[in-house]
Amino acid sequence: MLRSKLCQLLEIEYPILQGGMAWVATAELAAAVSNAGGLGVIGAGHMPGDALLREIRKAKNLTNKPFGVNIMLMSPFVKDVMEVVINERIPVVTTGAGNPGEYIPRLKEIGTKVIPVVASVALAKRLERVGVDAIIAEGMESGGHVGDVTTMALVPQVVDAVNLPVIAAGGIADARGVVAAFALGAEGVQIGSRFVASTECTAHYRYKEAVLKAKERSTVITGRFSGHPVRILANKLSRAFDELERQGAPPEEFDRLGAGKLRAAVCEGDIENGSVMIGQIAGMVNSVKPVAEIMEEIIRELPNVTSRISGIVGDS
Ligand code: TUI
């Protein structure tokens, strides 16, 4: 059994959200996660509004369950994407890479649940005041755009700071991670990297292979000093970022080097010159499986994890 307040709030069976990964979290992946009882999330990433609309329509054909959309706030199309999400009455919106404050009133007005991803206690507190429904506290173990606090340190501090359900993200890929998140006070988890290695994920097979091959130290954070720290697999691109850093290049140079590189990796399988965004937990991801099997395995293993813990800390 895995049930928390978040299940009622989001009308889902399990409090497991899928990360809204740009280019990777397509309609196929989102629908599969929703069909398996979690909350699938389409990653709007850098999509223009019309592309997102097509993705939403596709997902609506693949599932009757609720699914969400992740809005990447650094996208130049944020305003268009917001309109699409509102017109399509998407029930849950997660946001990343910025402060969604200005968009919250309109989303709330139509009853959309707003769940921002934060990497700090300060932003969690600010967003609670603006009326968000829950908070995703994402540690720097995650792939992609990251903050600088680990999941282990961030989640309990956000839990203590706000009076909202907190969803833990970053470094969670199996039942042990899920139980750990609940031990830290979370009411749910967001899983990204594990779902990249799924049958339904439409990412290029070389991207998935790279995830399977990755070890715990295979990723690095690039662009730390450019203002956009991003965790990717170490490769030619990450070394080019290192070189820019050594030269003390300005932030625009980092942005120029990064442009189009996630698409190249995810869609064309260019895992050497492309941006293979993946979390540190990829070292533990060793098989590509259907989403339903990934979910079932997590749920099935939960009692083993909790009973092992009871054996150590006792029941009373
Ligand atoms: O957003 C993510 N992960 C992402 S977004 C993305 S797309 C991208 N592509 C190229 C370069 C950069 C991004 C890939 N991965 N996770 C959620 C997240 N949000 N992590 C950290 C944050 C965050 C960071 C700072 C949220 C807010 C923030 O500050 C906002 C403020 O104004 O205080």
Side-chain angles (χ1 to χ4, degrees):
M1 193 207 84
L2 182 63
R3 196 153 282 284
S4 76
K5 277 185 279 186
L6 208 62
C7 297
Q8 285 95 59
L9 183 73
L10 306 182
E11 297 180 33
I12 52 180
E13 192 180 350
Y14 304 122
I16 298 177
L17 282 69
Q18 166 239 314
M21 302 164 282
W23 293 104
V24 170
T26 58
E28 288 84 353
L29 181 60
V33 173
S34 288
N35 283 333
L39 186 81
V41 176
I42 295 172
H46 288 90
M47 276 183 208
D50 57 346
L52 176 63
L53 182 58
R54 281 195 296 276
E55 218 51 40
I56 291 171
R57 296 270 157 86
K58 210 192 291 176
K60 283 182 177 172
N61 279 323
L62 294 170
T63 185
N64 294 321
K65 303 260 179 76
F67 61 86
V69 168
N70 174 269
I71 301 180
M72 210 282 282
L73 295 163
M74 276 168 21
S75 161
F77 302 112
V78 169
K79 292 214 155 53
D80 286 357
V81 158
M82 280 290 170
E83 287 309 312
V84 171
V85 157
I86 288 165
N87 290 338
E88 290 295 301
R89 293 289 190 272
I90 296 297
V92 184
V93 163
T94 64
T95 67
N99 181 343
E102 63 179 291
Y103 306 106
I104 291 169
R106 273 195 75 204
L107 290 168
K108 298 279 309 175
E109 211 173 284
I110 59 160
T112 291
K113 304 285 185 284
V114 186
I115 314 185
V117 177
V118 306
S120 71
V121 170
L123 186 57
K125 284 163 86 167
R126 237 184 294 153
L127 291 172
E128 179 178 36
R129 273 182 249 126
V130 195
V132 301
D133 297 278
I135 296 273
I136 300 170
E138 186 185 271
M140 52 92 80
E141 297 92 322
S142 302
H145 183 65
V146 288
D148 45 20
V149 185
T150 61
T151 304
M152 185 85 151
L154 182 66
V155 171
Q157 296 189 70
V158 173
V159 166
D160 286 350
V162 299
N163 194 15
L164 290 169
V166 174
I167 296 151
I172 303 170
D174 69 1
R176 292 171 298 179
V178 172
V179 172
F182 278 82
L184 296 175
E187 301 253 359
V189 295
Q190 177 185 276
I191 295 178
S193 301
R194 185 63 192 93
F195 287 134
V196 175
S198 69
T199 318
E200 292 88 344
C201 172
T202 54
H204 197 281
Y205 75 91
R206 282 198 291 268
Y207 197 103
K208 294 186 191 178
E209 259 175 22
V211 173
L212 301 187
K213 270 198 212 147
K215 298 188 169 49
E216 86 284 13
R217 298 183 66 227
S218 297
T219 67
V220 290
I221 296 178
T222 59
R224 244 199 188 110
F225 303 103
S226 75
H228 298 150
V230 175
R231 181 180 297 284
I232 63 174
L233 272 189
N235 62 4
K236 273 191 197 148
L237 177 67
S238 73
R239 289 190 286 279
F241 272 115
D242 289 347
E243 185 51 33
L244 280 189
E245 215 150 283
R246 262 193 298 278
Q247 293 167 0
E252 310 86 71
E253 292 260 340
F254 285 83
D255 291 346
R256 206 170 309 136
L257 179 61
K261 295 294 164 52
L262 179 58
R263 190 189 164 281
V266 178
C267 303
E268 284 149 31
D270 186 353
I271 57 161
E272 266 309 311
N273 301 294
S275 175
V276 186
M277 294 185 185
I278 203 73
Q280 290 181 319
I281 206 69
M284 212 171 72
V285 175
N286 299 314
S287 58
V288 175
K289 290 182 184 174
V291 163
E293 276 182 36
I294 294 171
M295 290 280 280
E296 278 160 22
E297 192 172 310
I298 292 173
I299 305 300
R300 180 165 22 91
E301 284 297 320
L302 287 170
N304 296 335
V305 179
T306 51
S307 70
R308 193 173 57 80
I309 293 173
S310 299
I312 297 168
V313 302
D315 283 328
S316 54

